[in-house]
Amino acid sequence: MKDHSVTSQPATPVVAILGRPNVGKSALFNRLISRRIAIVEDTPGVTRDRLYAAAEWGGREFAVVDTGGLKTGPAGTLETQVRAQATAALADADLVLLVVDARDGIVPEDREITELVRRAHVPVLLVANKVDSPTKETAASEFFALGLGDPLSVSAIHGRGIGDLLDAIVALLPEVSEATPEAASDKPVAVAVVGRPNVGKSSLVNAMLGQDRVIVDATPGTTRDAVDTFYERGGRRYVLIDTAGLRRRARVGAAVEVFSAVRARRAIERADVAVLVVDAADPVADQDQRIAREIADAGRGVVIVMNKWDRVAPALRPDRQRVRTAQHALRFLDYAPILAVSATKGWGIETLFETIDRVALAHRGHIGTGVLNRLIGEAVAAHEPPADAGGRRLRVFYATQPETSPPTVVLFVNEPSRMPESYRRYLEHAIRSGFDLPGVPLKLVLRRRRGEEARA
Ligand code: GDP
Ligand code: GDP
């Protein structure tokens, strides 16, 4: 996925600008972009609008990533920093602009980056910058020796050669894929409707399935404590895990509470997205909180439904105070969208479907490594990790997201034990505000970067 948001949508091609410090990457970035993609959020001091910008040439749109941003971030040796930036950008890019400084000639770091690019098998354009006048052209030809073909001579500062460079970029961009989000993931989205007895789970399932959609199949769930209903909506396939369905058929009587807890747990384990139903007219109960915690612990996507809204208001109008109170009681799901619904009146059902979709996509989605690193770099630069009693500090080198469902971000650091909880939350918040991650638990895993044991 090559978008700044976490989606499976057809990706905008990404062009990454790579090169050692001071060759003019930022200057070139500013030359190439046409408008900045605003992914600005409300974290003070975190300027995400520099991460990434849109460019357009000859009718083709693409995104440009300036990998220079970590330069002013957490310290590290030059070599490892450049390496980390390059690695991060390469994981994400459709095309690399390897920038060199024509005035300096080839330096060892140029060779090193060339080697990284070659191993990544990403198309690359060699750009010799700072060719401010025609007389400097000959200096640029030396870079042919890097084995990346003839360099394109440009002057980012004076705007020389930029049109030719853009032509070359557009010629090398991949064709826009026709892939749809559905094609990207064939597995149906498993949705579990859970909650304590009488909150309206059965009614909600009926309202959801009663809508105009194709029900493909209804089979008893594998664990015999839920009914799985397959349905399609907008070309996407879902399986609705209905824990209340069985009770409709065979009353469990007095043991309802116990069984419902067990059923809920099993349904959550099988789900991509859990829909936690609470009663809008009742205060959040212990049992609601227990189920909420299970959803959080299981790492599932989640939507909170405040059902029976018709009992608290004559229409689906917002009641911030009521929502906030429920949100507070369920605060370990503080990332969950919370919706007002009336199953019996059919209020909010469409929004519920849309929200389930967004959560499911984000839960399965992948955050581009390049943008992720820029964002973390900027967050760290804006607000440094606190030092411990001995004056030692956590250093964050780079991040990747090796896993989805739920998204797991691995941070490579000098010493994991130096991460204070408050700082972990700060970084998590920075990631959440930079990317669209509704209802998705985010796992932050700390790893010591190789070779750090000796230095830490
Ligand atoms: P980065 O570290 O690779 O992002 O490099 P910058 O874009 O910050 O540029 C480093 C220095 O090179 C700055 O002083 C720029 O003004 C200068 N520079 C960038 N492009 C050109 C150019 O085309 N010609 C000249 N003469 N200087 C340039
Ligand atoms: P479950 O035990 O969670 O499956 O709950 P049910 O769907 O069986 O609903 C329990 C009771 O709440 C029933 O009497 C429903 O008619 C009622 N109910 C469910 N949803 C709503 C709603 O949106 N508004 C109102 N007023 N009552 C509802």
Side-chain angles (χ1 to χ4, degrees), residues 20-27 71 103 129-130 132 155-157:
R20 63 189 172 88
N22 281 318
V23 291
K25 293 185 296 299
S26 307
K71 188 168 65 185
R103 300 193 302 196
N129 189 33
K130 308 196 188 177
D132 296 343
S155 167
I157 291 288

Side-chain angles (χ1 to χ4, degrees), residues 22-83:
N22 281 318
V23 291
K25 293 185 296 299
S26 307
L28 187 62
F29 176 82
N30 287 322
R31 270 286 166 199
L32 294 177
I33 66 176
S34 46
R35 85 192 134 82
R36 285 168 189 273
I37 297 175
I39 39 176
V40 182
E41 267 278 346
D42 54 3
T43 314
V46 182
T47 49
R48 267 175 299 281
D49 56 348
R50 282 198 294 123
L51 297 179
Y52 209 69
E56 186 270 333
W57 185 253
R60 279 304 300 275
E61 284 221 15
F62 53 97
V64 185
V65 180
D66 172 14
T67 62
L70 285 178
K71 188 168 65 185
T72 54
T77 70
L78 193 64
E79 190 206 316
T80 42
Q81 240 186 66
V82 171
R83 206 170 247 285

Side-chain angles (χ1 to χ4, degrees), residues 2 14-19 65-68 82-96 120 122 368-371 373-374 399:
K2 312 235 160 93
V14 172
V15 177
I17 306 180
L18 237 65
V65 180
D66 172 14
T67 62
V82 171
R83 206 170 247 285
Q85 283 167 17
T87 309
L90 284 169
D92 231 22
D94 294 294
L95 175 66
V96 165
V122 180
T369 312
V371 250
N373 276 278
R374 290 297 302 270

Side-chain angles (χ1 to χ4, degrees), residues 276 278 284 288-289 292 304 326-334:
L276 173 62
V278 298
V284 168
D288 299 320
Q289 286 173 325
I304 298 170
Q327 216 154 23
H328 182 72
L330 298 168
R331 60 190 165 281
F332 29 83
L333 293 179
D334 60 0

Side-chain angles (χ1 to χ4, degrees), residues 197-203 244 247 307-308 310-311 342-344:
N198 278 318
V199 291
K201 295 182 296 300
S202 306
S203 310
R247 183 164 56 84
N307 188 37
K308 309 195 187 179
D310 56 293
R311 286 178 58 199
S342 168
T344 49

